[in-house]
Amino acid sequence: MSDESNGNLIKDKLVQLRCHFTWNLLIEDVEVSDLENRVFDEILCLDTKYNVAIYNLLAYVKHLKGQNEEALESLKKAEDLIQQEHANQSDLRSLVTWGNYAWLYYHMGRLADARMYLDKVENTCKEFASPYCYRMECPEMDCEEGWALLKCGGKNYEQAKACFEKALKVDPENPEFSTGYAITSYRLNSFNKVTETTEASCLQALKEAIRLNPENAYIKVLLALKLQDMGQEAEGEKYTEEALTSESSQTYVFRYAAKFYRRKGSVDKALPLLRKALQATPNSVFVHHQIAICYKTQMIQIKKATNWQPRGRDKEEVHRLLQLAIAELEKTLQLKPTNEMAHVELADMYAENGDPTRAEEMFQKALRLEVCNPHLQQEIYYRYGQFQEYQKSSEADAITYHLKAVMLTEESSSPRDKSMRSLERLAQKKLRRNASDIRSLSILGFVHKLKGEMNEALECYERALRLSAELRTLWDMIDGR
């Protein structure tokens, strides 16, 4: 049989495997380096019992970068960990690793080695009476798929949650499955629109994960943030303080404890924690971004304290903080060019620094990004609308982008609500200048309609129609002449 025919036969079997090469992980090319950094950070700084999954993912990332020999080294580490951590079920736990080996050797043109690992998978499937030759349906496989999807970013979160849910149906008391489900629920809550139901479900998932993993400080600080989201900051702070006393996963605890304190308004507590985290993970996008937000917060605090007119040393300090924030945001985007909010924050900082040209360039980059979170897209539109009004003095363009934010979804969200208020204010401002402005009347009517104020909406629309009819009559008279 020719090599080509042999390769095609092997490929037919490879596509049946359950591993990173077949899980449809959505990763953009420009995100691979950031993903690799986050994988390394987790290996170095996150105290976990689940390192097999992270080495399997690292192998796949190395392959994406064209580093197949390094990928083989990562798979060898995964194999060694399986023998250490899961010796009593090593064959079952090795299925993903063997699948990755088979795919990797196939891509390297080592078809005999690929065939060897396919045989290992096939023999294990027979041993466990799987109805399939090259795949197993078991919660351990679902769990590892969930971890891979979770690590690969927001586009994969819904699928990750489904994987952990499937695993928990089989073994609801499994600490690893519970941890994965809780973290995914937390990420999805941050990523999607939050309702009372989803918040309560996320809170319950985090508490359940802590019950099954009482020493997991990382989960505790995520629970603290969720409690803060729900207005239970005092209880959240107790979990934060408890997590900070633990030596487990300290770098990750520092990151999220800092976020808790920054949101509480205690930037003086947040920054030292972030600097400690940065020492351990100097290429962390999250840490650089959080430090930038802290500098921005300090800058705003000084401005508020000086009635938005800082002078002397206060003015110098505002300028210093502004330059620090810009540097951190530029570093964030150097590490992850697809970070949407870093683009928007940096655009705002450039504008604050008196550089509207660079601000415009950064907003345009943000607007060109493929944003899968509608509320994040609304935030971009809202911020750009503000920029158009206050930096470019273009009320028309401001209205255009606030309308984009409002019309993107019908669900309420913070940026949508802010854009609605901006539209109402701009329409009223234009009507004070010209009470016969039909477009502004129509926009004001639209806002009233969205707010459920139907009488006010009808009044605006009727006025706009009357003015429109009068205008048509006037033009008819002019044409008649």
Side-chain angles (χ1 to χ4, degrees):
M1 184 181 293
S2 69
D3 287 346
E4 183 179 354
S5 298
N6 191 26
N8 289 335
L9 282 172
I10 288 176
K11 180 72 176 289
D12 290 341
K13 295 171 182 176
L14 289 171
V15 296
Q16 300 176 52
L17 296 170
R18 292 187 68 184
C19 64
H20 294 73
F21 289 82
T22 62
W23 282 336
N24 192 31
L25 304 174
L26 301 177
I27 311 165
E28 293 187 32
D29 291 344
V30 292
E31 295 175 330
V32 173
S33 292
D34 171 58
L35 176 57
E36 183 180 29
N37 286 333
R38 289 188 290 111
V39 168
F40 278 131
D41 288 351
E42 192 163 310
I43 289 170
L44 290 170
C45 303
L46 188 62
D47 299 324
T48 176
K49 303 170 186 176
Y50 322 125
N51 278 322
V52 173
I54 205 68
Y55 276 108
N56 269 322
L57 178 57
L58 179 59
Y60 182 65
V61 172
K62 290 292 187 184
H63 164 71
L64 292 178
K65 296 184 72 178
Q67 300 170 353
N68 288 331
E69 292 297 335
E70 289 90 336
L72 290 173
E73 291 174 13
S74 294
L75 291 178
K76 179 65 170 64
K77 288 178 181 175
E79 278 192 307
D80 292 343
L81 282 168
I82 289 167
Q83 294 303 320
Q84 294 171 29
E85 299 173 3
H86 307 289
N88 60 334
Q89 51 174 189
S90 60
D91 284 356
L92 189 64
R93 288 284 186 165
S94 295
L95 286 170
V96 173
T97 307
W98 290 343
N100 285 338
Y101 263 126
W103 269 103
L104 199 53
Y105 281 130
Y106 169 77
H107 283 296
M108 296 170 75
R110 293 167 59 175
L111 300 185
D113 290 324
R115 173 73 257 182
M116 179 182 72
Y117 281 98
L118 280 168
D119 290 344
K120 284 175 175 280
V121 173
E122 185 178 19
N123 291 335
T124 302
C125 287
K126 286 178 181 176
E127 179 186 343
F128 286 91
S130 171
Y132 309 102
C133 292
Y134 297 101
R135 61 186 291 122
M136 282 277 294
E137 292 296 332
C138 62
E140 291 81 7
M141 297 280 280
D142 296 323
C143 180
E144 183 151 0
E145 183 177 355
W147 285 124
L149 289 159
L150 177 61
K151 201 66 187 174
C152 290
K155 295 176 184 177
N156 302 279
Y157 288 167
E158 289 287 358
Q159 195 177 342
K161 184 180 180 183
C163 287
F164 288 119
E165 283 177 334
K166 187 178 175 184
L168 281 168
K169 283 180 181 177
V170 178
D171 187 358
E173 293 292 303
N174 186 293
E176 181 179 1
F177 303 168
S178 179
T179 297
Y181 180 74
I183 295 171
T184 308
S185 296
Y186 175 81
R187 296 275 178 82
L188 272 171
N189 251 217
S190 304
F191 198 72
N192 293 335
K193 175 179 167 55
V194 176
T195 65
E196 287 186 17
T197 303
T198 57
E199 275 204 320
S201 174
C202 176
L203 187 67
Q204 181 56 37
L206 288 163
K207 288 183 174 180
E208 180 68 4
I210 289 173
R211 181 182 72 81
L212 295 169
N213 303 269
E215 303 304 315
N216 193 318
Y218 176 44
I219 298 291
K220 287 178 183 177
V221 80
L222 293 185
L223 175 59
L225 285 166
K226 178 43 60 183
L227 287 165
Q228 188 180 48
D229 288 340
M230 299 175 73
Q232 301 174 41
E233 192 168 72
E235 186 180 354
E237 189 158 14
K238 291 177 185 176
Y239 280 104
T240 302
E241 291 170 352
E242 187 179 330
L244 284 168
T245 63
S246 171
E247 294 185 3
S248 169
S249 303
Q250 272 194 333
T251 300
Y252 283 80
V253 170
F254 291 158
R255 291 180 183 186
Y256 290 101
K259 184 176 180 180
F260 180 92
Y261 286 122
R262 174 184 63 76
R263 297 198 314 185
K264 188 187 174 191
S266 303
V267 181
D268 55 326
K269 285 187 177 182
L271 271 171
L273 292 171
L274 288 168
R275 289 179 181 131
K276 287 180 183 178
L278 193 63
Q279 287 178 348
T281 56
N283 291 321
S284 167
V285 170
F286 179 89
V287 175
H288 282 290
H289 193 191
Q290 288 293 312
I291 290 174
I293 297 172
C294 284
Y295 289 142
K296 178 184 175 182
T297 303
Q298 288 181 321
M299 188 176 76
I300 291 170
Q301 286 172 345
I302 293 171
K303 285 188 163 191
K304 281 184 177 178
T306 58
N307 198 26
W308 302 99
Q309 293 181 328
R311 295 184 176 89
R313 289 184 179 177
D314 287 330
K315 188 174 182 179
E316 290 175 7
E317 182 64 6
V318 165
H319 181 73
R320 185 184 75 85
L321 291 167
L322 177 59
Q323 303 312 311
L324 289 171
I326 286 172
E328 291 295 336
L329 288 165
E330 288 176 341
K331 180 66 174 178
T332 300
L333 288 173
Q334 177 190 334
L335 291 167
K336 188 177 181 182
T338 58
N339 189 311
E340 302 94 343
M341 280 311 299
H343 278 90
V344 172
E345 296 283 2
L346 185 54
D348 282 346
M349 293 297 97
Y350 282 150
E352 181 75 20
N353 201 38
D355 195 345
T357 301
R358 293 184 77 183
E360 176 68 38
E361 290 173 0
M362 198 54 55
F363 271 121
Q364 289 303 320
K365 287 182 180 180
L367 290 165
R368 286 194 296 269
L369 290 172
E370 183 183 340
V371 182
C372 56
N373 181 341
H375 302 135
L376 188 52
Q377 184 69 70
Q378 286 173 322
E379 182 69 29
I380 294 169
Y381 287 150
Y382 166 73
R383 297 281 195 98
Y384 191 50
Q386 295 294 93
F387 173 76
Q388 286 295 333
E389 180 181 1
Y390 294 108
Q391 296 293 329
K392 304 293 282 292
S393 300
S394 175
E395 292 178 354
D397 287 336
I399 286 170
T400 296
Y401 281 91
H402 287 311
L403 279 171
K404 282 177 179 280
V406 169
M407 295 173 71
L408 188 65
T409 68
E410 294 184 0
E411 294 177 345
S412 176
S413 69
S414 175
R416 186 176 188 269
D417 294 343
K418 288 185 292 187
S419 278
M420 279 175 56
R421 289 194 292 272
S422 294
L423 282 172
E424 186 172 18
R425 176 179 50 76
L426 283 164
Q428 289 172 341
K429 181 180 177 182
K430 289 170 77 68
L431 286 167
R432 283 195 295 272
R433 294 199 296 257
N434 177 11
S436 300
D437 186 333
I438 296 171
R439 184 167 185 258
S440 295
L441 274 170
S442 300
I443 289 169
L444 190 57
F446 177 61
V447 172
H448 282 308
K449 179 185 173 185
L450 292 176
K451 292 167 68 177
E453 299 166 354
M454 293 308 175
N455 290 334
E456 291 86 345
L458 281 170
E459 184 181 339
C460 289
Y461 287 144
E462 286 170 354
R463 282 177 60 196
L465 285 169
R466 280 197 303 272
L467 287 166
S468 180
E470 291 170 8
L471 191 61
R472 279 198 302 271
T473 301
L474 178 62
W475 279 112
D476 288 343
M477 290 172 63
I478 293 171
D479 289 343
R481 291 180 64 189

